[in-house]
Amino acid sequence: MKIKKIETSKINEIDFNNLKFGSVFTDHMFTCDFIKGEWINPEIIPYQSINVSPASRVFHYGQACFEGMKAFKDDNNKVWLFRPDENYKRIVKSSIRLAMPEFPEDIFFEGLKNLLRLDSDWIKPGLGNSLYIRPFIFANEGTINATEANQYKFMIICAPASSYYSGEVRVKIEKSFSRAAKGGVGYAKAAGNYAAQFYPTKLANNEGYQQIIWTDSSTHQYIEEAGTMNLFFRIGNKLITAPTNDSILDGVTRKSLIEIAKDEGIEVEIRPLKVNELINAAKNNTLIEIFGSGTAVVVLPIQGFGYENSRYELIQKENSWAIMLKNKLNNIQYKLIEDPYNWTVEV
Ligand SMILES: *Cc1c(COP(=O)(O)O)cnc(C)c1O
């Protein structure tokens, strides 16, 4: 693998105490091209703009998908990835759905690890600090016939991240727009899934909600997910989350929290949850917590939600499962406790 190092690092210009998520990138990036049926020229080069044809199919037909993963530094300055094999498997699954070639596993991990070693100073130790890693693939063939492309680029870019207080989060249960349909691409991390959410989310923002809870596209009676996060509901003494299917993304954080919760003795129910059941639980005060899960936020407690013309507020409980689960997961990610699941991988 060719590695071209930057001449002078820009790390000293970065204010690590005031990082805006996803706006600062490390010194290097990984790139690899798919040309004539082969992945060729894997290399690490200084982070820079790239040259693409305006006819690249990604711009016209949205043929692109991505991943989101994190690296952490422990107190001995060792760098750890969290379940990277899951992200690799998922970008393959997404690529297949979008008729894109599978990126080879060995090049993925070699490129990723070399990149992290080169930019390891960008990963700050300490709870809350991490490196957000964004692998992605897009069609860069410069001919606009509406079929899958023959040429692609795979890249990895990295952004240092710190934990931030997101403020109180309230969500709107959406019943007219849909994020994903049966048979569609909802289970893939397809770039276009995000574009389709922006407009309904903007409308929800105007009504005072930060995010949307998506419901199933055919009946709008079942809770699906939040579109960047999977969702958990603590009703009575149970933790409920929807089963993944072709309109719900199979989140790595979700599946990790399910395992941790079970091992903490929490009764976890993986089953379809009706909006009606949620409303009833809110009305009879058995709804105790709602939280989202995803790589970027880890766990995000939700204060309230809206449905039709009503708003519901949750009363903050002392012994929050969201906070407990977040702490357990963080402790594993930062190697503060033993990792009984073998989820952490040393770089
Ligand atoms: C990435 C993503 C999630 C969260 O998945 P993690 O693997 O936990 O980061 C949830 N929903 C959607 C639609 C996503 O794209």
Side-chain angles (χ1 to χ4, degrees), residues 36-63:
K36 296 201 174 101
E38 263 189 298
W39 286 104
I40 56 164
N41 301 334
E43 56 180 7
I44 291 173
I45 54 174
Y47 184 90
Q48 60 191 272
S49 297
I50 53 170
N51 229 325
V52 282
S53 157
S56 287
R57 290 191 207 181
V58 62
F59 300 134
H60 307 272
Y61 310 121
Q63 207 187 2

Side-chain angles (χ1 to χ4, degrees), residues 5 8 19 31 35 51 53 97 132 144 146-147 155 161 175 192 206 208 222 233 260 277 280 296 299 325 331 334:
K5 286 191 196 167
T8 36
L19 288 169
T31 82
I35 296 168
N51 229 325
S53 157
R97 180 62 183 83
Y132 183 81
I144 53 171
T147 58
M155 301 184 68
K175 47 178 288 189
N206 293 341
Y222 291 93
F233 301 86
I260 295 173
E277 185 183 343
N280 288 336
V299 173
L325 292 169
N331 287 342
Y334 289 89

Side-chain angles (χ1 to χ4, degrees), residues 235-256:
I235 299 179
N237 58 358
K238 290 181 181 145
L239 189 61
I240 303 168
T241 188
T244 55
N245 58 32
D246 58 2
S247 51
I248 299 181
L249 190 115
D250 188 1
V252 180
T253 319
R254 171 186 173 278
K255 67 174 111 183
S256 306

Side-chain angles (χ1 to χ4, degrees), residues 67-68 83 86-87 89-91 93-94 179 185-189 193 224-225 228-232 241-256 258 270 293-295:
E67 265 307 320
R83 307 188 79 175
E86 295 289 336
N87 298 96
K89 279 190 264 179
R90 197 166 62 190
I91 203 165
K93 199 160 116 181
S94 299
R179 187 192 82 90
V185 292
Y187 69 89
K189 262 182 127 65
N193 286 344
E224 294 208 317
E225 60 155 305
T228 57
M229 302 185 296
N230 296 107
L231 291 170
F232 288 85
T241 188
T244 55
N245 58 32
D246 58 2
S247 51
I248 299 181
L249 190 115
D250 188 1
V252 180
T253 319
R254 171 186 173 278
K255 67 174 111 183
S256 306
I258 291 172
I270 302 169
S293 73
T295 295

